[in-house]
Amino acid sequence: MSQSSATPSTSAPQRRAAAFFDLDKTLIATSAATAFARPFLLGGLLSRRAMLRSAGAQVAFLLGSATEGRTERVRAQLSAMVAGWDVERVSAIVAENLHEAVDAVLYAEALELVARHHAAGEDVVVVSASSEELVRPIADLVGADAVIASRMGVEDGRYTGDIAFYAYGPAKAQAMRDLAERQGYDLAASSAYTDSATDAPMLRAVGRGYVVNPDRALRQMAAEEGWTPLVFRRRVLVRRLGATRSARATVAAGAVVLAVALLVVARARRTGPA
């Protein structure tokens, strides 16, 4: 009797699968920086000159493959712009422009996969090199259960550009393993989705990898690694997801902007992945 009653407390919790989604060009069809460039400009955070300087790098990032060099150039351009931005001002601009900036760039296919994983009893985790303040509200908007994101410093209410944790490359995979250990995820039974070859460590950390809208090089890598190519094309308006999620989106707004900063600031302050 005493032996059987002790069994539940001594047995290890049952491990379960999870689904890990990259943010830029995977959950959303653009980068967070591009989505919020106009609101930042109109809100006085960006000058026209600064926006034009970063335009070439942004276009290359969006139209080309997300190589480490191209990603670094985008971050380098952005880090110079966001240093010193007032946190409350950023949050206010994001809150006021969330729907305008994000509604039309959410991939319907990604949201359908989120729903499918939830229906299967799996947690959904958004994994992004963008800042946590930006990623968490978007993750909440799409119904994710957890977030892995970069964390940047704030001093006197302004972003300093310092990075406490940079969720990029191998650091993403390590953070996934750490989260899996805490939450009891079985990574061998889990899935990961990304558009970027720089996220290869993230894909290798799970049993099922999916590459979204891959270019030729990434498709070849996927064939060698056994990852499944997916094509995302359809967009869905956030307002159509229901009143509850729409309300969440408004609250989440305050975090969205920071990804712009973090996507960039992180690598601009460091020479390589954390």
Side-chain angles (χ1 to χ4, degrees), residues 90-181:
V90 167
S91 297
I93 291 175
V94 174
E96 293 166 5
N97 296 278
L98 179 67
H99 282 295
E100 178 184 350
V102 176
D103 268 14
V105 296
L106 278 167
Y107 274 127
E109 292 91 345
L111 296 182
E112 289 166 2
L113 284 167
V114 168
R116 190 179 307 170
H117 283 291
H118 276 152
E122 302 175 8
D123 279 1
V124 170
V125 182
V126 176
V127 187
S128 176
S130 295
S131 69
E132 184 173 8
E133 291 87 347
L134 166 65
V135 177
R136 189 169 296 280
I138 299 176
D140 185 62
L141 173 64
V142 303
D145 304 283
V147 163
I148 292 171
S150 296
R151 297 188 299 273
M152 58 189 305
V154 175
E155 186 174 326
D156 296 328
R158 296 182 181 275
Y159 299 122
T160 65
D162 295 330
I163 305 298
F165 169 69
Y166 185 31
Y168 180 80
K172 273 190 179 183
Q174 185 58 53
M176 289 165 60
R177 288 189 286 268
D178 293 342
L179 181 64
E181 183 65 26

Side-chain angles (χ1 to χ4, degrees), residues 167-212:
Y168 180 80
K172 273 190 179 183
Q174 185 58 53
M176 289 165 60
R177 288 189 286 268
D178 293 342
L179 181 64
E181 183 65 26
R182 295 194 302 270
Q183 298 297 325
Y185 297 148
D186 180 358
L187 289 181
S190 296
S191 307
Y193 302 83
T194 183
D195 71 290
S196 174
T198 62
D199 282 337
M202 172 182 172
L203 296 170
R204 293 186 182 117
V206 299
R208 295 191 293 271
Y210 298 87
V211 295
V212 176

